[in-house]
Amino acid sequence: MRAARLIKMVLLLQSRPSMTAAELARELEVSERTVTRDAQALSEAGVPVYADRGRAGGYRLIGGYRTRLTGLARSEAEALFLSGVPGALREMGLEDAASAARLKVSAALLPSLRDASRTASQRFHLDAPSWFDEPKTPELLPAVADAVWDDRRIVARYRRRDTEVERELEPYGLVLKAGVWYLCARVPSSDDDGGGSSGSGSFRTYRIDRFLAVDADGDRFTRDEEFDLPAYWNEQTERFARSILHAEVVVRLSAEGVRRLPHVVDPVSARDALTAAVGAPDEHGRTTVTLRVESEEVAHAQLTALGAEAEVLAPEGLRERFAADARRLAGLYETP
């Protein structure tokens, strides 16, 4: 989009003494002719872009011009990167910072581009919670979020089964999954029964709505720069999904059943089963897979959604349940 390209061009020229048309074209992934037109548009809009002629020439900003984009405070800049999730910003207490950041960006844009934030918001909206759920914002989320942004230790008291536990945590990151907030935190070794110095403990995940109290006035901790929040979360979710799959069923699937399987059972389980399937489909186009499930009860509820696209072969008790279902359905739809 041209608006984004013009902003990038100004920032590129602001960060270097000068750039040739070829260098700008390469950075912006456009032709040199487009660079010339963009430079003229910026100049007409009041941005002092000057073109030096000759072999050693190029484009530069004159008069010490600085775009006001660099006036963002840290909290505003961090909030700006999250501005696509307004609900999450509001729940973390960052709505004011995001609003200030958007105003500063708007002030730095060309007059013809200052409605960009409104036009974008009318074309994209992220609704994170799942259907049919009324998400509740954890009361202690803003305090936890402040500690995450500030790399500050917290002492959290939370529910664990039927007991209450208090633990010092180093809060690394927040995850919003289907309307539920989670904290990914490191437990210092002294709290992790592992000995050693603070900062060498294990990482764990906590549901923030289970926190009963949070003391966020702790000292700052040194963040492990190798910690990758998205990678950690993906690893934890796959590990959790596999940990609750305690039973196995053998299912023969039609081609349509194979396509729909990841939509009715756990996607990790479906992927593992289909990857491990041996041989090509049989003469009827059906594929036999061994599927890990939570229980026979859960498997019955999930696989029912596939109807005739799935035939349970084992265990025998589950197969008999589906056979009984089939007889009942046949009776219901039998012509009087």
Side-chain angles (χ1 to χ4, degrees):
M1 293 174 60
R2 193 184 190 202
R5 191 175 70 243
L6 291 173
I7 294 173
K8 186 175 181 181
M9 185 174 181
V10 173
L11 294 176
L12 285 169
L13 293 174
Q14 183 173 294
S15 64
R16 308 179 193 181
S18 69
M19 295 182 70
T20 66
E23 290 172 335
L24 284 168
R26 186 166 54 252
E27 290 280 356
L28 300 172
E29 299 180 342
V30 295
S31 67
E32 292 185 29
R33 179 174 294 181
T34 298
V35 168
T36 301
R37 287 198 297 265
D38 285 353
Q40 183 177 354
L42 287 171
S43 180
E44 291 173 354
V47 178
V49 178
Y50 182 79
D52 290 316
R53 306 296 179 184
R55 180 176 298 180
Y59 292 93
R60 59 188 174 89
L61 295 174
I62 61 175
Y65 178 84
R66 305 290 292 180
T67 172
R68 281 169 286 181
L69 278 172
T70 53
L72 293 176
R74 169 170 287 276
S75 63
E76 296 167 349
E78 290 169 339
L80 185 60
F81 284 104
L82 295 171
S83 59
V85 282
L89 282 169
R90 183 170 55 253
E91 292 177 9
M92 287 189 291
L94 293 173
E95 188 173 28
D96 289 343
S99 177
R102 286 192 293 268
L103 286 172
K104 288 186 178 182
V105 171
S106 296
L109 292 176
L110 300 174
S112 61
L113 304 176
R114 287 178 184 167
D115 66 342
S117 62
R118 184 187 63 80
T119 56
S121 67
Q122 295 303 314
R123 287 163 173 78
F124 175 76
H125 175 69
L126 176 63
D127 185 7
S130 59
W131 286 102
F132 312 119
D133 285 331
E134 186 65 34
K136 294 183 179 179
T137 304
E139 183 179 343
L140 298 172
L141 175 61
V144 176
D146 284 345
V148 169
W149 291 116
D150 205 26
D151 292 339
R152 194 173 294 280
R153 289 187 180 90
I154 65 173
V155 176
R157 181 161 53 87
Y158 61 96
R159 294 189 305 273
R160 187 170 68 183
R161 300 183 182 89
D162 297 327
T163 62
E164 292 184 12
V165 178
E166 186 173 279
R167 176 158 289 165
E168 182 182 59
L169 303 173
E170 295 176 354
Y172 267 65
L174 295 168
V175 175
L176 177 60
K177 171 72 171 180
V180 179
W181 284 95
Y182 296 87
L183 171 67
C184 302
R186 183 167 60 184
V187 182
S189 298
S190 56
D191 280 353
D192 204 29
D193 300 326
S197 61
S198 176
S200 60
S202 60
F203 286 94
R204 297 185 182 179
T205 305
Y206 301 86
R207 278 186 59 148
I208 296 179
D209 58 6
R210 293 178 181 167
F211 283 5
L212 302 173
V214 170
D215 180 356
D217 293 328
D219 298 330
R220 288 190 173 180
F221 63 91
T222 302
R223 176 177 285 265
D224 181 354
E225 296 301 330
E226 295 184 0
F227 177 77
D228 184 330
L229 180 60
Y232 168 82
W233 180 255
N234 290 337
E235 178 186 342
Q236 293 300 304
T237 52
E238 287 207 11
R239 181 181 299 174
F240 173 75
R242 290 191 172 95
S243 71
I244 63 174
L245 305 177
H246 303 297
E248 287 187 349
V249 298
V250 182
V251 189
R252 188 153 50 211
L253 301 165
S254 67
E256 177 65 10
V258 168
R259 186 187 70 81
R260 290 167 52 188
L261 185 67
H263 302 289
V264 299
V265 302
D266 179 82
V268 174
S269 176
R271 185 186 65 206
D272 291 348
L274 294 173
T275 300
V278 178
D282 61 20
E283 64 273 17
H284 302 294
R286 292 188 166 249
T287 302
T288 299
V289 301
T290 300
L291 187 69
R292 295 184 66 199
V293 295
E294 289 185 54
S295 64
E296 289 187 23
E297 188 71 30
V298 171
H300 178 256
Q302 292 175 330
L303 295 175
T304 295
L306 294 179
E309 308 302 332
E311 177 191 0
V312 173
L313 304 179
E316 187 61 30
L318 184 58
R319 180 178 174 85
E320 290 175 356
R321 290 184 67 174
F322 276 98
D325 289 347
R327 288 190 293 271
R328 290 180 60 200
L329 282 171
L332 287 173
Y333 289 97
E334 195 173 50
T335 303

